Amino acid sequence: MIMEEASMNRDDVFANIRQAAENVGVTLDEVKECDYINDVLSESLTFVAFIVELENIYDVEIPDEFLFSENMETFADLIDTVLELANA
């Protein structure tokens, strides 16, 4: 499912982050934007599968330098990155 750019907002992206996580077997029901990604998706293979799911939803490629930088710590950081890439 590829999202329409015009209708994207933070809530939509976070809902799709939750869906991508569920697709790889991780439930994010209690997760908030301020939570750290590594605290929830600490297993590297699960994290990679999650990112691939998210890239497929938005038809974007999230560069490694975004994923493994100090600027990508929380789910809010991930939402910002997805919004930036999807609107580029």
Side-chain angles (χ1 to χ4, degrees), residues 33-59:
E33 284 189 33
C34 61
D35 290 335
Y36 287 93
I37 297 167
N38 286 340
D39 290 348
V40 179
L41 296 164
S42 58
E43 187 178 312
S44 61
L45 289 177
T46 302
F47 178 72
V48 170
F50 163 74
I51 293 300
V52 169
E53 285 285 328
L54 200 54
E55 289 174 331
N56 289 336
I57 289 170
Y58 288 101
D59 194 31

